[in-house]
């Protein structure tokens, strides 16, 4: 004779609160999502730059120490980055770039930059040292204002960034 126990709905919610019902992603999937939603319409150069920023954050003690922890951090990347659908048509080029960054490729001009915003955005802060504009984004390091030597994004001409 089997005995079934009724589990109150409230108890199930508490037990399952830590589960993500299929929303768990591998580091590759998280990197793809960052590249896709932050630079999908850009070149490979732009995707590698976004991936380099993600990896700079992973190794920093100021951010989570995993790709998914960094990419999923609230208010840091595109809204809905971990839940929105990605178009399968552009996924092969995104996947190749994501794998390359996870294997160690970094954009040569990113350096220690851990931040970026749309290249058209003009911030009023005086602690942003810009290192690169590519893929529609301007990448920068935060520095003490006295150490900022490039307060405006460098000019990008035909895919070549001038510093």
């Amino acid at each position: 004779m089997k005995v079934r126990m009724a589990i109150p709905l409230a108890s199930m919610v508490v037990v399952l609160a830590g589960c993500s019902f299929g929303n768990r992603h591998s580091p590759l999937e998280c990197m793809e999502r960052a590249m896709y939603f932050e630079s999908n319409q850009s070149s490979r150069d732009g995707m590698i730059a976004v991936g380099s920023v993600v990896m700079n954050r992973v190794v920093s003690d100021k951010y989570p120490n995993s790709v998914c922890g960094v990419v999923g951090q609230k208010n840091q990347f595109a809204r809905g980055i971990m839940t929105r659908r990605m178009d399968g048509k552009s996924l092969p080029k995104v996947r190749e770039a994501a794998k390359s960054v996870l294997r160690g490729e970094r954009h040569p001009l990113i350096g220690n930059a851990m931040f970026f915003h749309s290249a058209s955005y003009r911030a009023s802060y005086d602690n942003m040292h810009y290192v690169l504009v590519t893929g529609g984004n301007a990448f920068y390091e935060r520095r003490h204002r006295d150490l900022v030597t490039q307060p405006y994004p460098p000019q990008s001409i035909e895919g070549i960034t001038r510093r």
Side-chain angles (χ1 to χ4, degrees):
M1 180 172 143
K2 291 185 180 180
V3 177
R4 288 193 177 197
M5 295 178 55
I7 300 173
L9 183 58
S11 297
M12 284 181 62
V13 170
V14 170
V15 169
L16 298 175
C19 298
S20 58
F21 287 109
N23 285 336
R24 293 219 179 255
H25 301 288
S26 70
L28 176 61
E29 291 167 323
C30 291
M31 184 63 75
E32 289 170 349
R33 289 180 162 282
M35 290 177 169
Y36 181 90
F37 289 111
E38 295 292 356
S39 64
N40 183 37
Q41 303 304 316
S42 78
S43 63
R44 184 179 190 281
D45 193 60
M47 289 188 283
I48 298 299
V50 167
S52 297
V53 165
V54 170
M55 296 311 293
N56 283 349
R57 287 184 176 201
V58 168
V59 299
S60 169
D61 60 356
K62 295 178 182 177
Y63 295 92
N65 63 357
S66 71
V67 173
C68 290
V70 166
V71 174
Q73 196 173 21
K74 190 173 180 171
N75 299 323
Q76 294 295 305
F77 290 93
R79 196 171 300 190
I81 195 166
M82 299 304 287
T83 57
R84 289 175 31 206
R85 270 184 57 124
M86 295 189 293
D87 171 26
K89 195 166 50 172
S90 50
L91 204 52
K93 73 176 185 174
V94 174
R95 177 159 290 150
E96 182 279 322
K99 284 181 178 179
S100 188
V101 166
L102 292 174
R103 285 191 305 258
E105 181 179 357
R106 299 294 180 270
H107 194 288
L109 299 178
I110 288 294
N112 295 320
M114 286 192 251
F115 309 97
F116 61 91
H117 58 68
S118 171
S120 61
Y121 177 73
R122 293 292 174 248
S124 60
Y125 305 112
D126 61 0
N127 68 339
M128 300 163 81
H129 175 81
Y130 289 93
V131 297
L132 176 68
V133 173
T134 187
N137 291 313
F139 297 83
Y140 64 96
E141 298 173 357
R142 285 187 183 158
R143 294 184 178 176
H144 187 275
R145 66 183 179 159
D146 296 334
L147 301 175
V148 172
T149 59
Q150 192 157 301
Y152 304 102
Q155 298 297 310
S156 178
I157 300 171
E158 297 177 33
I160 300 171
T161 302
R162 298 185 186 258
R163 294 176 57 117

